Amino acid sequence: MKPIEIINLKFGYTKNKLILDGISLDFLPDTITSILGPNGSGKTTLLKLILGLMTPVSGNIFIFGTELKQIPLKERAKLMAYVPQKHNAVFDYKVIDVCAMGRAAYSGVFSSASKKDIEIAMQSLEKMKISHLAEKPYTQISGGEQQMVLIARALSQQAKILILDEPVTGLDYGNQIRLLKILRDLAKEGITCIKTTHYPEHALWTSGEAVFMRNGKVLASGSTSQIVNSENLKAIYDTDICVLSRPIDEKSVSTCVPLF
């Protein structure tokens, strides 16, 4: 069964100006899908519609075969976890407490975290390699560390679908690579990962599938190795970019090189 199926989705704040126009997509199970496109192409809006944070003008979204609007909010949280681009913390919660908030769908928003919730939260921090931050105040760690905590919080939901909006924002290069590796491992464990990104090379390194968006429409979608090419990158970003591939350790590795 498809984790997510989108049929002819349209969205706009007014009837005369659509931000998304006729989006139809399928997301494959146990796969990382990267959504690429310039600023203003509708990537974040699409994610919020999938999560039910906004209501489309028309079209349908199905989660594991059930129409999204038929799924109660608490059940959605057990199916889909979301990592936003930014999060402004107000209170000085400890990192472990922020991470345990991902268990709210199981224990209730106003319930105290159980011993099991704390154990699962700690396991998520360990998976992100940041368990040493557990007792530190969330507001006193770096922006990059906060981003890693938000991903750990999403993992604590133990959802089958993980949706990330530009997850490498604020991360140094080493943590970017570590995060991409973690996403690959999660996909191998059976989690469907969907992420927006401004880095086509990240899609080439990790994603089985890719989607190109521009001006609220899908320009191309399918296997990353097939659609992340110089022609599509030129069409999306209006910039000359060469996609190079070479064998490394008996594997073919591809990356992007701008042509100045």
Side-chain angles (χ1 to χ4, degrees):
M1 186 178 295
K2 300 170 184 174
I4 301 175
E5 183 179 7
I6 299 172
I7 301 173
N8 198 27
L9 197 68
K10 296 184 180 182
F11 175 81
Y13 294 107
T14 66
K15 294 182 178 179
N16 298 324
K17 188 175 181 181
L18 292 176
I19 296 174
L20 296 180
D21 188 4
I23 302 291
S24 293
L25 289 169
D26 293 338
F27 293 93
L28 301 180
D30 312 341
T31 301
I32 301 174
T33 300
S34 290
I35 303 175
L36 302 103
N39 292 332
S41 60
K43 303 187 299 297
T44 297
T45 299
L46 176 60
L47 296 189
K48 290 182 176 180
L49 287 165
I50 293 172
L51 291 158
L53 301 177
M54 291 195 252
T55 303
V57 172
S58 62
N60 299 97
I61 301 172
F62 295 89
I63 309 298
F64 293 109
T66 301
E67 194 168 5
L68 177 63
K69 61 186 178 183
Q70 302 298 327
I71 304 174
L73 292 176
K74 194 169 184 177
E75 294 306 310
R76 291 182 196 177
K78 294 178 182 179
L79 294 172
M80 297 185 288
Y82 177 47
V83 181
Q85 288 186 42
K86 295 180 180 179
H87 174 256
N88 296 318
V90 177
F91 300 107
D92 242 0
Y93 290 110
K94 292 181 180 180
V95 163
I96 186 64
D97 295 327
V98 172
C99 192
M101 290 175 187
R103 303 295 301 163
Y106 302 89
S107 58
V109 176
F110 299 107
S111 300
S112 298
S114 67
K115 181 179 178 181
K116 180 180 178 182
D117 292 335
I118 296 297
E119 288 175 354
I120 292 172
M122 197 65 193
Q123 290 168 7
S124 298
L125 291 174
E126 289 169 355
K127 184 166 285 190
M128 296 303 299
K129 313 296 185 187
I130 53 171
S131 58
H132 61 283
L133 299 176
E135 296 300 317
K136 291 189 175 182
Y138 178 78
T139 54
Q140 295 179 28
I141 61 177
S142 71
E145 289 171 334
Q146 289 181 350
Q147 184 71 359
M148 300 291 271
V149 172
L150 293 183
I151 296 169
R153 183 182 68 178
L155 294 181
S156 294
Q157 286 181 233
Q158 296 183 315
K160 297 181 181 296
I161 300 170
L162 180 60
I163 297 176
L164 309 100
D165 197 3
E166 297 182 27
V168 301
T169 299
L171 300 184
D172 61 44
Y173 191 69
N175 278 325
Q176 288 182 24
I177 301 304
R178 279 185 280 274
L179 173 57
L180 295 177
K181 184 180 184 304
I182 288 169
L183 293 181
R184 289 204 323 184
D185 292 341
L186 291 173
K188 291 176 183 177
E189 293 173 10
I191 295 177
T192 298
C193 299
I194 301 167
K195 64 180 177 70
T196 61
T197 181
H198 285 298
Y199 301 98
E201 61 271 24
H202 288 185
L204 286 167
W205 297 344
T206 63
S207 305
E209 298 284 306
V211 176
F212 278 124
M213 293 183 65
R214 188 179 177 94
N215 297 326
K217 295 179 179 291
V218 172
L219 267 63
S221 65
S223 171
T224 302
S225 60
Q226 293 181 0
I227 73 165
V228 179
N229 54 49
S230 299
E231 182 180 353
N232 283 335
L233 291 172
K234 175 71 172 179
I236 290 291
Y237 298 111
D238 194 26
T239 301
D240 292 317
I241 301 170
C242 182
V243 177
L244 299 178
S245 299
R246 60 168 295 179
I248 299 178
D249 295 334
E250 300 181 355
K251 296 180 181 179
S252 179
V253 178
S254 300
T255 193
C256 299
V257 179
L259 302 177
F260 294 109

